[in-house]
Amino acid sequence: MPKNLFKQRLREKRLQVGLFVGLASHYSMEILAGAGFDWLVIDAEHTPNIPASVLPQLQAAASYSPQLLVRPMNHDPALIKQYLDIGAQTLMLPLVDDAEQAGALVRAMRYPPQGIRGVASSMARAACWNGVEGYVRQANDEVCLVVQIETRQGLENLDTILAVEGVDAAFIGPADLAASLGHLGDSGHPEVRAAIEAALQRIAASGKAAGVFVTDPQLARHYCSCGAGFIAVGGDTTLLRNAAVKLAAAFRDDGAGVAR
Ligand code: 3PY
Ligand code: MG
């Protein structure tokens, strides 16, 4: 039974640094898997990813050290079942607004009697197609649920969401949170920053793991001092675009004609 090291390290309160992966490519995933991050989250919320494209990415990263998370596009238990069956043990669920939603997600990720996950381990890569002895009995212990807190409602209900057994961690999404708080496109707005700091402190005080997306190293250190135990420090799409734009500009600006 594969051990969920992401979940274990969250419990051990070891800082884990991660990256959002949105290029939907198993080939670039392999480059990122060897780059030195503790975790990578395959984003299927804002990208063209579907289970059939997430699967080869999980396979490409399987022999590398980072722990792989998947962010599904919604809370559909059927979709959650597919991601668990193809081998994701940790799921990051967007836009979790209340304890009822959180409880439904906990159940979607677990086999009965704790949950409603359908059983077909002969079809599941996660179970090595019945090659993992006792998979169905151990799977519930190894799943890890990261709920995203990224709306005003989510903030208001934070304490009851955190009290749901089976919620392992809460991850703040600054972009959606800024929008929800009336500051669309400005996640650095003082009101958003203050809300993030307070939320991280409340999550950490609850004993659950706190996470946040933060690309500025100084701000990352600050958020860690507020209680963040796992941080996403960027995304592959931005890394590629920034490097490409910079390279093109360098040759256009000072070496007119060099690149033409
Ligand atoms: C957000 O910022 O809204 C995210 O979901 C990721 O950081
Ligand atoms: Mg978001």
Side-chain angles (χ1 to χ4, degrees), residues 65-102:
S65 60
Q67 294 290 287
L68 269 287
L69 284 66
V70 173
R71 178 164 77 169
M73 65 191 269
N74 61 29
H75 299 185
D76 181 358
L79 189 59
I80 287 173
K81 175 171 55 187
Q82 276 189 302
Y83 284 126
L84 294 176
D85 280 350
I86 63 172
Q89 291 183 308
T90 302
L91 298 182
M92 178 184 284
L93 273 303
L95 299 162
V96 178
D97 289 337
D98 58 41
E100 199 184 326
Q101 286 178 3

PDB file of all heavy atoms in Angstrom, residues 65-102:
ATOM      1  N   SER A  65      10.628  12.001  -6.571  1.00  0.00           N
ATOM      2  CA  SER A  65      10.299  12.140  -5.151  1.00  0.00           C
ATOM      3  C   SER A  65       9.070  13.005  -4.812  1.00  0.00           C
ATOM      4  O   SER A  65       8.442  12.769  -3.790  1.00  0.00           O
ATOM      5  CB  SER A  65      11.515  12.646  -4.375  1.00  0.00           C
ATOM      6  OG  SER A  65      11.906  13.897  -4.882  1.00  0.00           O
ATOM      7  N   PRO A  66       8.693  14.008  -5.611  1.00  0.00           N
ATOM      8  CA  PRO A  66       7.573  14.841  -5.160  1.00  0.00           C
ATOM      9  C   PRO A  66       6.269  14.061  -4.995  1.00  0.00           C
ATOM     10  O   PRO A  66       5.991  13.136  -5.755  1.00  0.00           O
ATOM     11  CB  PRO A  66       7.405  15.877  -6.275  1.00  0.00           C
ATOM     12  CG  PRO A  66       8.655  15.866  -7.035  1.00  0.00           C
ATOM     13  CD  PRO A  66       9.241  14.504  -6.899  1.00  0.00           C
ATOM     14  N   GLN A  67       5.505  14.475  -4.003  1.00  0.00           N
ATOM     15  CA  GLN A  67       4.173  13.918  -3.824  1.00  0.00           C
ATOM     16  C   GLN A  67       3.222  14.612  -4.800  1.00  0.00           C
ATOM     17  O   GLN A  67       3.310  15.827  -5.005  1.00  0.00           O
ATOM     18  CB  GLN A  67       3.715  14.149  -2.383  1.00  0.00           C
ATOM     19  CG  GLN A  67       4.550  13.368  -1.370  1.00  0.00           C
ATOM     20  CD  GLN A  67       4.290  11.872  -1.471  1.00  0.00           C
ATOM     21  OE1 GLN A  67       3.245  11.405  -1.070  1.00  0.00           O
ATOM     22  NE2 GLN A  67       5.242  11.122  -1.998  1.00  0.00           N
ATOM     23  N   LEU A  68       2.342  13.823  -5.392  1.00  0.00           N
ATOM     24  CA  LEU A  68       1.454  14.346  -6.421  1.00  0.00           C
ATOM     25  C   LEU A  68       0.051  14.573  -5.879  1.00  0.00           C
ATOM     26  O   LEU A  68      -0.533  13.656  -5.295  1.00  0.00           O
ATOM     27  CB  LEU A  68       1.374  13.359  -7.602  1.00  0.00           C
ATOM     28  CG  LEU A  68       2.382  13.541  -8.735  1.00  0.00           C
ATOM     29  CD1 LEU A  68       2.037  14.768  -9.562  1.00  0.00           C
ATOM     30  CD2 LEU A  68       3.806  13.644  -8.248  1.00  0.00           C
ATOM     31  N   LEU A  69      -0.451  15.789  -6.056  1.00  0.00           N
ATOM     32  CA  LEU A  69      -1.835  16.113  -5.699  1.00  0.00           C
ATOM     33  C   LEU A  69      -2.596  16.356  -6.993  1.00  0.00           C
ATOM     34  O   LEU A  69      -1.999  16.723  -8.009  1.00  0.00           O
ATOM     35  CB  LEU A  69      -1.908  17.392  -4.857  1.00  0.00           C
ATOM     36  CG  LEU A  69      -1.503  17.349  -3.384  1.00  0.00           C
ATOM     37  CD1 LEU A  69      -0.025  17.046  -3.201  1.00  0.00           C
ATOM     38  CD2 LEU A  69      -1.847  18.686  -2.700  1.00  0.00           C
ATOM     39  N   VAL A  70      -3.903  16.193  -6.938  1.00  0.00           N
ATOM     40  CA  VAL A  70      -4.748  16.564  -8.075  1.00  0.00           C
ATOM     41  C   VAL A  70      -5.809  17.535  -7.578  1.00  0.00           C
ATOM     42  O   VAL A  70      -6.376  17.344  -6.497  1.00  0.00           O
ATOM     43  CB  VAL A  70      -5.414  15.322  -8.720  1.00  0.00           C
ATOM     44  CG1 VAL A  70      -6.415  15.745  -9.794  1.00  0.00           C
ATOM     45  CG2 VAL A  70      -4.364  14.396  -9.328  1.00  0.00           C
ATOM     46  N   ARG A  71      -6.043  18.584  -8.379  1.00  0.00           N
ATOM     47  CA  ARG A  71      -7.157  19.488  -8.068  1.00  0.00           C
ATOM     48  C   ARG A  71      -8.263  19.258  -9.095  1.00  0.00           C
ATOM     49  O   ARG A  71      -8.152  19.709 -10.243  1.00  0.00           O
ATOM     50  CB  ARG A  71      -6.701  20.955  -8.098  1.00  0.00           C
ATOM     51  CG  ARG A  71      -7.868  21.903  -7.822  1.00  0.00           C
ATOM     52  CD  ARG A  71      -7.422  23.286  -7.461  1.00  0.00           C
ATOM     53  NE  ARG A  71      -6.981  24.079  -8.603  1.00  0.00           N
ATOM     54  CZ  ARG A  71      -6.753  25.387  -8.559  1.00  0.00           C
ATOM     55  NH1 ARG A  71      -6.907  26.035  -7.410  1.00  0.00           N
ATOM     56  NH2 ARG A  71      -6.343  26.044  -9.616  1.00  0.00           N
ATOM     57  N   PRO A  72      -9.340  18.553  -8.699  1.00  0.00           N
ATOM     58  CA  PRO A  72     -10.454  18.317  -9.626  1.00  0.00           C
ATOM     59  C   PRO A  72     -11.197  19.611  -9.936  1.00  0.00           C
ATOM     60  O   PRO A  72     -11.090  20.592  -9.203  1.00  0.00           O
ATOM     61  CB  PRO A  72     -11.381  17.358  -8.856  1.00  0.00           C
ATOM     62  CG  PRO A  72     -10.566  16.823  -7.732  1.00  0.00           C
ATOM     63  CD  PRO A  72      -9.572  17.900  -7.411  1.00  0.00           C
ATOM     64  N   MET A  73     -11.970  19.592 -11.019  1.00  0.00           N
ATOM     65  CA  MET A  73     -12.691  20.807 -11.436  1.00  0.00           C
ATOM     66  C   MET A  73     -13.882  21.120 -10.542  1.00  0.00           C
ATOM     67  O   MET A  73     -14.332  22.262 -10.488  1.00  0.00           O
ATOM     68  CB  MET A  73     -13.167  20.663 -12.886  1.00  0.00           C
ATOM     69  CG  MET A  73     -14.186  19.567 -13.087  1.00  0.00           C
ATOM     70  SD  MET A  73     -14.468  19.236 -14.834  1.00  0.00           S
ATOM     71  CE  MET A  73     -15.794  20.349 -15.153  1.00  0.00           C
ATOM     72  N   ASN A  74     -14.409  20.094  -9.855  1.00  0.00           N
ATOM     73  CA  ASN A  74     -15.572  20.339  -8.992  1.00  0.00           C
ATOM     74  C   ASN A  74     -15.629  19.259  -7.913  1.00  0.00           C
ATOM     75  O   ASN A  74     -14.692  18.473  -7.774  1.00  0.00           O
ATOM     76  CB  ASN A  74     -16.873  20.388  -9.816  1.00  0.00           C
ATOM     77  CG  ASN A  74     -17.140  19.077 -10.545  1.00  0.00           C
ATOM     78  OD1 ASN A  74     -16.735  17.997 -10.087  1.00  0.00           O
ATOM     79  ND2 ASN A  74     -17.806  19.149 -11.682  1.00  0.00           N
ATOM     80  N   HIS A  75     -16.731  19.205  -7.167  1.00  0.00           N
ATOM     81  CA  HIS A  75     -16.842  18.297  -6.018  1.00  0.00           C
ATOM     82  C   HIS A  75     -17.557  16.992  -6.374  1.00  0.00           C
ATOM     83  O   HIS A  75     -17.956  16.252  -5.469  1.00  0.00           O
ATOM     84  CB  HIS A  75     -17.609  18.988  -4.891  1.00  0.00           C
ATOM     85  CG  HIS A  75     -16.961  20.229  -4.363  1.00  0.00           C
ATOM     86  ND1 HIS A  75     -17.453  20.934  -3.287  1.00  0.00           N
ATOM     87  CD2 HIS A  75     -15.847  20.912  -4.759  1.00  0.00           C
ATOM     88  CE1 HIS A  75     -16.685  21.994  -3.044  1.00  0.00           C
ATOM     89  NE2 HIS A  75     -15.707  22.002  -3.933  1.00  0.00           N
ATOM     90  N   ASP A  76     -17.732  16.722  -7.647  1.00  0.00           N
ATOM     91  CA  ASP A  76     -18.487  15.543  -8.091  1.00  0.00           C
ATOM     92  C   ASP A  76     -17.858  14.244  -7.544  1.00  0.00           C
ATOM     93  O   ASP A  76     -16.705  13.939  -7.857  1.00  0.00           O
ATOM     94  CB  ASP A  76     -18.477  15.528  -9.629  1.00  0.00           C
ATOM     95  CG  ASP A  76     -19.247  14.350 -10.195  1.00  0.00           C
ATOM     96  OD1 ASP A  76     -19.761  13.528  -9.415  1.00  0.00           O
ATOM     97  OD2 ASP A  76     -19.304  14.249 -11.445  1.00  0.00           O
ATOM     98  N   PRO A  77     -18.607  13.478  -6.737  1.00  0.00           N
ATOM     99  CA  PRO A  77     -18.044  12.247  -6.166  1.00  0.00           C
ATOM    100  C   PRO A  77     -17.591  11.244  -7.234  1.00  0.00           C
ATOM    101  O   PRO A  77     -16.647  10.482  -7.010  1.00  0.00           O
ATOM    102  CB  PRO A  77     -19.202  11.650  -5.350  1.00  0.00           C
ATOM    103  CG  PRO A  77     -20.162  12.763  -5.139  1.00  0.00           C
ATOM    104  CD  PRO A  77     -19.984  13.714  -6.288  1.00  0.00           C
ATOM    105  N   ALA A  78     -18.237  11.256  -8.403  1.00  0.00           N
ATOM    106  CA  ALA A  78     -17.846  10.319  -9.468  1.00  0.00           C
ATOM    107  C   ALA A  78     -16.463  10.685 -10.018  1.00  0.00           C
ATOM    108  O   ALA A  78     -15.633   9.813 -10.310  1.00  0.00           O
ATOM    109  CB  ALA A  78     -18.889  10.327 -10.579  1.00  0.00           C
ATOM    110  N   LEU A  79     -16.204  11.993 -10.134  1.00  0.00           N
ATOM    111  CA  LEU A  79     -14.904  12.459 -10.617  1.00  0.00           C
ATOM    112  C   LEU A  79     -13.825  12.188  -9.559  1.00  0.00           C
ATOM    113  O   LEU A  79     -12.718  11.730  -9.872  1.00  0.00           O
ATOM    114  CB  LEU A  79     -14.997  13.956 -10.923  1.00  0.00           C
ATOM    115  CG  LEU A  79     -13.825  14.612 -11.638  1.00  0.00           C
ATOM    116  CD1 LEU A  79     -13.571  13.956 -12.982  1.00  0.00           C
ATOM    117  CD2 LEU A  79     -14.114  16.114 -11.835  1.00  0.00           C
ATOM    118  N   ILE A  80     -14.176  12.437  -8.306  1.00  0.00           N
ATOM    119  CA  ILE A  80     -13.246  12.183  -7.196  1.00  0.00           C
ATOM    120  C   ILE A  80     -12.855  10.702  -7.177  1.00  0.00           C
ATOM    121  O   ILE A  80     -11.679  10.352  -7.027  1.00  0.00           O
ATOM    122  CB  ILE A  80     -13.898  12.623  -5.861  1.00  0.00           C
ATOM    123  CG1 ILE A  80     -13.909  14.161  -5.805  1.00  0.00           C
ATOM    124  CG2 ILE A  80     -13.194  12.016  -4.650  1.00  0.00           C
ATOM    125  CD1 ILE A  80     -14.669  14.750  -4.646  1.00  0.00           C
ATOM    126  N   LYS A  81     -13.840   9.850  -7.384  1.00  0.00           N
ATOM    127  CA  LYS A  81     -13.591   8.392  -7.429  1.00  0.00           C
ATOM    128  C   LYS A  81     -12.598   8.044  -8.542  1.00  0.00           C
ATOM    129  O   LYS A  81     -11.678   7.260  -8.337  1.00  0.00           O
ATOM    130  CB  LYS A  81     -14.933   7.693  -7.654  1.00  0.00           C
ATOM    131  CG  LYS A  81     -14.883   6.196  -7.849  1.00  0.00           C
ATOM    132  CD  LYS A  81     -16.286   5.591  -7.831  1.00  0.00           C
ATOM    133  CE  LYS A  81     -17.226   6.229  -8.848  1.00  0.00           C
ATOM    134  NZ  LYS A  81     -18.608   5.757  -8.729  1.00  0.00           N
ATOM    135  N   GLN A  82     -12.775   8.676  -9.711  1.00  0.00           N
ATOM    136  CA  GLN A  82     -11.859   8.388 -10.819  1.00  0.00           C
ATOM    137  C   GLN A  82     -10.431   8.810 -10.484  1.00  0.00           C
ATOM    138  O   GLN A  82      -9.481   8.065 -10.754  1.00  0.00           O
ATOM    139  CB  GLN A  82     -12.310   9.117 -12.085  1.00  0.00           C
ATOM    140  CG  GLN A  82     -13.377   8.381 -12.874  1.00  0.00           C
ATOM    141  CD  GLN A  82     -13.617   9.049 -14.214  1.00  0.00           C
ATOM    142  OE1 GLN A  82     -13.966  10.229 -14.269  1.00  0.00           O
ATOM    143  NE2 GLN A  82     -13.443   8.316 -15.280  1.00  0.00           N
ATOM    144  N   TYR A  83     -10.276  10.005  -9.900  1.00  0.00           N
ATOM    145  CA  TYR A  83      -8.913  10.457  -9.575  1.00  0.00           C
ATOM    146  C   TYR A  83      -8.274   9.569  -8.513  1.00  0.00           C
ATOM    147  O   TYR A  83      -7.073   9.277  -8.583  1.00  0.00           O
ATOM    148  CB  TYR A  83      -8.913  11.932  -9.152  1.00  0.00           C
ATOM    149  CG  TYR A  83      -9.058  12.870 -10.329  1.00  0.00           C
ATOM    150  CD1 TYR A  83     -10.048  13.839 -10.370  1.00  0.00           C
ATOM    151  CD2 TYR A  83      -8.209  12.769 -11.428  1.00  0.00           C
ATOM    152  CE1 TYR A  83     -10.188  14.692 -11.462  1.00  0.00           C
ATOM    153  CE2 TYR A  83      -8.338  13.602 -12.527  1.00  0.00           C
ATOM    154  CZ  TYR A  83      -9.332  14.564 -12.534  1.00  0.00           C
ATOM    155  OH  TYR A  83      -9.458  15.393 -13.632  1.00  0.00           O
ATOM    156  N   LEU A  84      -9.055   9.121  -7.537  1.00  0.00           N
ATOM    157  CA  LEU A  84      -8.497   8.214  -6.522  1.00  0.00           C
ATOM    158  C   LEU A  84      -8.125   6.880  -7.173  1.00  0.00           C
ATOM    159  O   LEU A  84      -7.072   6.307  -6.877  1.00  0.00           O
ATOM    160  CB  LEU A  84      -9.500   7.992  -5.389  1.00  0.00           C
ATOM    161  CG  LEU A  84      -9.842   9.217  -4.531  1.00  0.00           C
ATOM    162  CD1 LEU A  84     -10.919   8.864  -3.520  1.00  0.00           C
ATOM    163  CD2 LEU A  84      -8.602   9.768  -3.818  1.00  0.00           C
ATOM    164  N   ASP A  85      -8.989   6.390  -8.052  1.00  0.00           N
ATOM    165  CA  ASP A  85      -8.731   5.085  -8.666  1.00  0.00           C
ATOM    166  C   ASP A  85      -7.498   5.106  -9.575  1.00  0.00           C
ATOM    167  O   ASP A  85      -6.785   4.104  -9.677  1.00  0.00           O
ATOM    168  CB  ASP A  85      -9.963   4.590  -9.434  1.00  0.00           C
ATOM    169  CG  ASP A  85     -11.021   3.978  -8.519  1.00  0.00           C
ATOM    170  OD1 ASP A  85     -10.736   3.766  -7.328  1.00  0.00           O
ATOM    171  OD2 ASP A  85     -12.139   3.704  -8.997  1.00  0.00           O
ATOM    172  N   ILE A  86      -7.232   6.244 -10.237  1.00  0.00           N
ATOM    173  CA  ILE A  86      -6.031   6.260 -11.093  1.00  0.00           C
ATOM    174  C   ILE A  86      -4.766   6.544 -10.283  1.00  0.00           C
ATOM    175  O   ILE A  86      -3.666   6.553 -10.831  1.00  0.00           O
ATOM    176  CB  ILE A  86      -6.143   7.241 -12.290  1.00  0.00           C
ATOM    177  CG1 ILE A  86      -6.274   8.698 -11.830  1.00  0.00           C
ATOM    178  CG2 ILE A  86      -7.258   6.832 -13.222  1.00  0.00           C
ATOM    179  CD1 ILE A  86      -6.188   9.705 -12.974  1.00  0.00           C
ATOM    180  N   GLY A  87      -4.900   6.781  -8.977  1.00  0.00           N
ATOM    181  CA  GLY A  87      -3.700   6.799  -8.147  1.00  0.00           C
ATOM    182  C   GLY A  87      -3.422   8.063  -7.357  1.00  0.00           C
ATOM    183  O   GLY A  87      -2.417   8.129  -6.657  1.00  0.00           O
ATOM    184  N   ALA A  88      -4.294   9.075  -7.460  1.00  0.00           N
ATOM    185  CA  ALA A  88      -4.086  10.259  -6.612  1.00  0.00           C
ATOM    186  C   ALA A  88      -4.565   9.920  -5.205  1.00  0.00           C
ATOM    187  O   ALA A  88      -5.652   9.367  -5.039  1.00  0.00           O
ATOM    188  CB  ALA A  88      -4.878  11.439  -7.159  1.00  0.00           C
ATOM    189  N   GLN A  89      -3.740  10.211  -4.216  1.00  0.00           N
ATOM    190  CA  GLN A  89      -4.163   9.971  -2.826  1.00  0.00           C
ATOM    191  C   GLN A  89      -4.566  11.267  -2.138  1.00  0.00           C
ATOM    192  O   GLN A  89      -5.335  11.252  -1.184  1.00  0.00           O
ATOM    193  CB  GLN A  89      -3.022   9.318  -2.028  1.00  0.00           C
ATOM    194  CG  GLN A  89      -2.725   7.887  -2.450  1.00  0.00           C
ATOM    195  CD  GLN A  89      -1.637   7.277  -1.588  1.00  0.00           C
ATOM    196  OE1 GLN A  89      -0.571   7.861  -1.423  1.00  0.00           O
ATOM    197  NE2 GLN A  89      -1.897   6.098  -1.054  1.00  0.00           N
ATOM    198  N   THR A  90      -3.999  12.376  -2.619  1.00  0.00           N
ATOM    199  CA  THR A  90      -4.320  13.676  -2.032  1.00  0.00           C
ATOM    200  C   THR A  90      -5.053  14.517  -3.068  1.00  0.00           C
ATOM    201  O   THR A  90      -4.557  14.715  -4.185  1.00  0.00           O
ATOM    202  CB  THR A  90      -3.036  14.399  -1.587  1.00  0.00           C
ATOM    203  OG1 THR A  90      -2.345  13.582  -0.653  1.00  0.00           O
ATOM    204  CG2 THR A  90      -3.370  15.740  -0.948  1.00  0.00           C
ATOM    205  N   LEU A  91      -6.219  15.008  -2.699  1.00  0.00           N
ATOM    206  CA  LEU A  91      -6.986  15.871  -3.593  1.00  0.00           C
ATOM    207  C   LEU A  91      -7.148  17.237  -2.954  1.00  0.00           C
ATOM    208  O   LEU A  91      -7.392  17.345  -1.741  1.00  0.00           O
ATOM    209  CB  LEU A  91      -8.371  15.268  -3.867  1.00  0.00           C
ATOM    210  CG  LEU A  91      -8.383  13.906  -4.580  1.00  0.00           C
ATOM    211  CD1 LEU A  91      -9.824  13.451  -4.820  1.00  0.00           C
ATOM    212  CD2 LEU A  91      -7.629  13.960  -5.913  1.00  0.00           C
ATOM    213  N   MET A  92      -6.979  18.273  -3.790  1.00  0.00           N
ATOM    214  CA  MET A  92      -7.217  19.653  -3.364  1.00  0.00           C
ATOM    215  C   MET A  92      -8.520  20.081  -4.021  1.00  0.00           C
ATOM    216  O   MET A  92      -8.625  20.099  -5.243  1.00  0.00           O
ATOM    217  CB  MET A  92      -6.052  20.542  -3.817  1.00  0.00           C
ATOM    218  CG  MET A  92      -6.236  22.001  -3.459  1.00  0.00           C
ATOM    219  SD  MET A  92      -4.907  23.045  -4.117  1.00  0.00           S
ATOM    220  CE  MET A  92      -3.572  22.684  -2.996  1.00  0.00           C
ATOM    221  N   LEU A  93      -9.522  20.382  -3.199  1.00  0.00           N
ATOM    222  CA  LEU A  93     -10.835  20.701  -3.744  1.00  0.00           C
ATOM    223  C   LEU A  93     -11.091  22.197  -3.696  1.00  0.00           C
ATOM    224  O   LEU A  93     -10.990  22.807  -2.618  1.00  0.00           O
ATOM    225  CB  LEU A  93     -11.921  19.972  -2.961  1.00  0.00           C
ATOM    226  CG  LEU A  93     -12.266  18.543  -3.412  1.00  0.00           C
ATOM    227  CD1 LEU A  93     -12.692  18.515  -4.889  1.00  0.00           C
ATOM    228  CD2 LEU A  93     -11.116  17.593  -3.225  1.00  0.00           C
ATOM    229  N   PRO A  94     -11.403  22.797  -4.843  1.00  0.00           N
ATOM    230  CA  PRO A  94     -11.597  24.250  -4.870  1.00  0.00           C
ATOM    231  C   PRO A  94     -12.914  24.672  -4.228  1.00  0.00           C
ATOM    232  O   PRO A  94     -13.861  23.879  -4.133  1.00  0.00           O
ATOM    233  CB  PRO A  94     -11.622  24.559  -6.379  1.00  0.00           C
ATOM    234  CG  PRO A  94     -12.055  23.302  -7.050  1.00  0.00           C
ATOM    235  CD  PRO A  94     -11.577  22.175  -6.164  1.00  0.00           C
ATOM    236  N   LEU A  95     -12.952  25.931  -3.782  1.00  0.00           N
ATOM    237  CA  LEU A  95     -14.205  26.596  -3.406  1.00  0.00           C
ATOM    238  C   LEU A  95     -15.052  25.799  -2.419  1.00  0.00           C
ATOM    239  O   LEU A  95     -16.225  25.515  -2.666  1.00  0.00           O
ATOM    240  CB  LEU A  95     -15.017  26.889  -4.686  1.00  0.00           C
ATOM    241  CG  LEU A  95     -14.310  27.820  -5.686  1.00  0.00           C
ATOM    242  CD1 LEU A  95     -14.929  27.732  -7.068  1.00  0.00           C
ATOM    243  CD2 LEU A  95     -14.344  29.260  -5.187  1.00  0.00           C
ATOM    244  N   VAL A  96     -14.441  25.445  -1.290  1.00  0.00           N
ATOM    245  CA  VAL A  96     -15.196  24.766  -0.230  1.00  0.00           C
ATOM    246  C   VAL A  96     -15.723  25.843   0.720  1.00  0.00           C
ATOM    247  O   VAL A  96     -14.958  26.544   1.369  1.00  0.00           O
ATOM    248  CB  VAL A  96     -14.314  23.737   0.510  1.00  0.00           C
ATOM    249  CG1 VAL A  96     -15.098  23.078   1.640  1.00  0.00           C
ATOM    250  CG2 VAL A  96     -13.810  22.675  -0.479  1.00  0.00           C
ATOM    251  N   ASP A  97     -17.048  25.969   0.765  1.00  0.00           N
ATOM    252  CA  ASP A  97     -17.664  27.115   1.439  1.00  0.00           C
ATOM    253  C   ASP A  97     -18.291  26.814   2.784  1.00  0.00           C
ATOM    254  O   ASP A  97     -18.540  27.738   3.566  1.00  0.00           O
ATOM    255  CB  ASP A  97     -18.742  27.731   0.526  1.00  0.00           C
ATOM    256  CG  ASP A  97     -18.137  28.441  -0.662  1.00  0.00           C
ATOM    257  OD1 ASP A  97     -16.956  28.830  -0.574  1.00  0.00           O
ATOM    258  OD2 ASP A  97     -18.834  28.603  -1.685  1.00  0.00           O
ATOM    259  N   ASP A  98     -18.594  25.541   3.042  1.00  0.00           N
ATOM    260  CA  ASP A  98     -19.203  25.246   4.355  1.00  0.00           C
ATOM    261  C   ASP A  98     -18.909  23.799   4.767  1.00  0.00           C
ATOM    262  O   ASP A  98     -18.384  22.993   3.983  1.00  0.00           O
ATOM    263  CB  ASP A  98     -20.711  25.542   4.353  1.00  0.00           C
ATOM    264  CG  ASP A  98     -21.472  24.759   3.296  1.00  0.00           C
ATOM    265  OD1 ASP A  98     -21.171  23.571   3.103  1.00  0.00           O
ATOM    266  OD2 ASP A  98     -22.368  25.347   2.655  1.00  0.00           O
ATOM    267  N   ALA A  99     -19.286  23.504   6.004  1.00  0.00           N
ATOM    268  CA  ALA A  99     -18.963  22.192   6.576  1.00  0.00           C
ATOM    269  C   ALA A  99     -19.716  21.063   5.874  1.00  0.00           C
ATOM    270  O   ALA A  99     -19.217  19.942   5.782  1.00  0.00           O
ATOM    271  CB  ALA A  99     -19.296  22.196   8.067  1.00  0.00           C
ATOM    272  N   GLU A 100     -20.894  21.391   5.369  1.00  0.00           N
ATOM    273  CA  GLU A 100     -21.671  20.366   4.663  1.00  0.00           C
ATOM    274  C   GLU A 100     -20.918  19.899   3.406  1.00  0.00           C
ATOM    275  O   GLU A 100     -20.794  18.707   3.140  1.00  0.00           O
ATOM    276  CB  GLU A 100     -23.024  20.957   4.286  1.00  0.00           C
ATOM    277  CG  GLU A 100     -24.077  19.916   3.983  1.00  0.00           C
ATOM    278  CD  GLU A 100     -25.386  20.560   3.528  1.00  0.00           C
ATOM    279  OE1 GLU A 100     -25.691  21.662   4.039  1.00  0.00           O
ATOM    280  OE2 GLU A 100     -26.051  19.988   2.678  1.00  0.00           O
ATOM    281  N   GLN A 101     -20.404  20.872   2.652  1.00  0.00           N
ATOM    282  CA  GLN A 101     -19.610  20.516   1.465  1.00  0.00           C
ATOM    283  C   GLN A 101     -18.368  19.725   1.866  1.00  0.00           C
ATOM    284  O   GLN A 101     -18.012  18.738   1.225  1.00  0.00           O
ATOM    285  CB  GLN A 101     -19.159  21.781   0.721  1.00  0.00           C
ATOM    286  CG  GLN A 101     -20.267  22.480  -0.048  1.00  0.00           C
ATOM    287  CD  GLN A 101     -19.764  23.756  -0.730  1.00  0.00           C
ATOM    288  OE1 GLN A 101     -18.576  24.090  -0.668  1.00  0.00           O
ATOM    289  NE2 GLN A 101     -20.673  24.468  -1.356  1.00  0.00           N
ATOM    290  N   ALA A 102     -17.713  20.161   2.927  1.00  0.00           N
ATOM    291  CA  ALA A 102     -16.485  19.479   3.372  1.00  0.00           C
ATOM    292  C   ALA A 102     -16.800  18.033   3.765  1.00  0.00           C
ATOM    293  O   ALA A 102     -16.068  17.101   3.402  1.00  0.00           O
ATOM    294  CB  ALA A 102     -15.858  20.237   4.535  1.00  0.00           C
TER     295      ALA A 102
END
